[in-house]
Amino acid sequence: MIRYRTFRNGDPPALVRLWNATVPERGAVRPLKVHELDDRAFNPPVFERSGLIVAEEDDRVVGFVHAGFGPGLPIDSARPLGLDREMGMIAMLAVEPGLPAELDVARALVLEGERYLRSRGAMVLYAGGQFPLNPFYWGIYGGSEGSGFLASHPMVPQVLAGMGYEPIGVTACLEYDVGAAARRDPRGVLIRRQAELEIIEDVPAAEWWSELAIGEFHLARVSLRSRADGAILARASTWDMSLFGRGDGRGRLGLLDVFVPEPHRRKGFGRHLVSEILRWAQEIGVQAVEVQTPSTNESALELYQSLGFIPVDQSVVYRLPARLLERSALP
Ligand SMILES: CC(C)(COP(=O)(O)OP(=O)(O)OC[C@H]1O[C@@H](n2cnc3c(N)ncnc32)[C@H](O)[C@@H]1OP(=O)(O)O)[C@@H](O)C(=O)NCCC(=O)NCCS
């Protein structure tokens, strides 16, 4: 008989075992260690033990669901943390593969997660984290941006879809193989005359919420500045995703927040910046560069694919339609 209960301090080793048996090998850190799960799942300031519900059969942990909330906006280090309890999210779901009632346990766990969120006031329920509704697991799951559940995650997308969750945002996950021959940057010579590249390593994240998730992974800020007036022509951040290469031994760099100010677009600055980052990645001995962008962002997809990035997965954020909210209403 399966019993559902809230998290206890002795659970992490069993939860790591489930993580390592269920998360995809690509796009998540695997094998994960207990202290790493501890940092990303139980240490965040928004952790509540009642949001992490464990399924147990004869004292053996066979599944868990982890639900939570994001910060109230704006994220400001001068203000105390306030949670936005209107919107709740299911951040992770794992059930022991091969368990006879695997799918039933997964569905029961999702319902337990929904009940917790509703009991805390949530009026809109999501599944899959996306900034800023991403309190847990960014840095160990979901690639460079950690947006949503990976399409390749065994069982999870099917269970969510079967329970009525609807995809509301699809993000393309792309990877660049640093060993592949570099594509030509047609405007590179000209741009080097106009602009200089600046790489500042070990910078803090843009705000403390991201700092908690990926701050320890050697964030770098890369900018292309006009030689004439110092204006930023393009910028991006990178972080060291080498934990993601634990399974296949390929060191990875995550690319984030690629941005070209509006007046400077379509002049080749975006491509030049990213191709310089790829060159830098090679210099520092990284084997792959990962980036994510909404599947609707055609300009970014064109840009990355023109440089040789290839799509390797998708991540999906789901929302529960309002008509299904009542199934987890409290008695
Ligand atoms: C995406 C972005 C970084 C592109 O920067 P950019 O400097 O304008 O791009 P480039 O001039 O270097 O263009 C390189 C290639 O990208 C593609 N591209 C760029 N903008 C495009 C657009 N609006 N439509 C279609 N393709 C586009 C083209 O293939 C282009 O090659 P081409 O000029 O030879 O046709 C910029 O539009 C931007 O900052 N957008 C908002 C933020 C964003 O979406 N960032 C990506 C998040 S991961």
Side-chain angles (χ1 to χ4, degrees):
M1 159 110 159
I2 310 272
R3 197 167 80 81
Y4 298 90
R5 60 160 176 82
T6 56
F7 172 80
R8 291 186 196 139
N9 287 353
D11 287 332
L15 303 187
V16 165
R17 180 182 57 80
L18 287 174
W19 174 284
N20 287 330
T22 58
V23 298
E25 295 209 42
R26 219 211 57 77
V29 178
R30 186 176 154 176
L32 187 69
K33 298 177 184 172
V34 174
H35 73 92
E36 292 159 349
L37 186 69
D38 207 51
D39 277 349
R40 301 284 166 265
F42 323 121
N43 273 349
V46 294
F47 177 75
E48 293 182 332
R49 64 178 56 236
S50 46
L52 206 171
I53 299 120
V54 165
E56 224 177 29
E57 186 176 41
D58 303 330
D59 289 336
R60 177 181 164 81
V61 173
V62 293
F64 73 94
V65 67
H66 195 178
F69 297 89
L73 297 178
I75 299 169
D76 177 353
S77 59
R79 290 190 331 158
L81 170 71
L83 290 189
D84 179 355
R85 298 235 184 230
E86 279 270 298
M87 295 189 286
M89 57 88 68
I90 304 237
M92 192 49 63
L93 174 66
V95 180
E96 191 167 281
L99 195 73
E102 187 179 352
L103 292 179
D104 292 340
V105 174
R107 284 189 282 266
L109 282 166
V110 171
L111 276 180
E112 292 287 340
E114 290 179 8
R115 272 185 208 118
Y116 157 75
L117 294 168
R118 297 278 284 138
S119 74
R120 292 289 193 276
M123 300 302 290
V124 190
L125 300 189
Y126 295 91
Q130 187 163 47
F131 182 87
L133 193 53
N134 59 346
F136 315 109
Y137 306 109
W138 185 18
I140 56 172
Y141 179 86
S144 62
E145 304 245 11
S147 27
F149 276 110
L150 292 164
S152 62
H153 197 139
M155 182 197 70
V156 172
Q158 295 88 311
V159 167
L160 292 173
M163 294 184 75
Y165 280 85
E166 292 173 351
I168 54 156
V170 177
T171 300
C173 310
L174 301 112
E175 189 179 288
Y176 177 84
D177 177 359
V178 175
R183 303 274 171 101
R184 237 184 101 248
D185 176 12
R187 290 183 249 189
V189 176
L190 211 69
I191 291 176
R192 260 182 226 112
R193 276 189 218 140
Q194 274 178 282
E196 64 184 332
L197 186 77
E198 179 184 77
I199 301 178
I200 307 179
E201 295 185 59
D202 285 319
V203 294
E207 25 59 38
W208 66 265
W209 186 253
S210 304
E211 181 73 21
L212 283 177
I214 56 170
E216 74 181 81
F217 299 120
H218 307 298
L219 279 161
R221 195 178 315 119
V222 187
S223 319
L224 201 58
R225 281 184 187 277
S226 155
R227 291 187 191 275
D229 59 8
I232 298 263
L233 303 175
R235 63 172 157 76
S237 301
T238 64
W239 61 287
D240 175 3
M241 286 179 64
S242 40
L243 288 187
F244 285 74
R246 194 173 275 161
D248 63 9
R250 295 169 79 222
R252 286 165 166 79
L253 192 72
L255 185 54
L256 279 181
D257 302 332
V258 177
F259 181 77
V260 172
E262 202 106 35
H264 301 304
R265 288 189 188 163
R266 290 316 297 258
K267 294 177 183 164
F269 294 132
R271 175 159 35 212
H272 186 69
L273 180 84
V274 178
S275 60
E276 289 295 306
I277 291 172
L278 299 179
R279 186 206 295 262
W280 177 56
Q282 188 165 34
E283 272 170 32
I284 60 175
V286 159
Q287 276 86 42
V289 179
E290 307 235 338
V291 74
Q292 296 187 338
T293 195
S295 58
T296 49
N297 191 346
E298 284 173 22
S299 41
L301 286 171
E302 282 278 331
L303 163 63
Y304 298 133
Q305 294 189 31
S306 76
L307 284 167
F309 281 84
I310 53 164
V312 288
D313 206 344
Q314 290 189 326
S315 50
V316 183
V317 175
Y318 301 84
R319 185 171 55 206
L320 191 68
R323 67 189 147 79
L324 295 178
L325 273 183
E326 287 317 303
R327 70 183 181 199
S328 46
L330 296 177

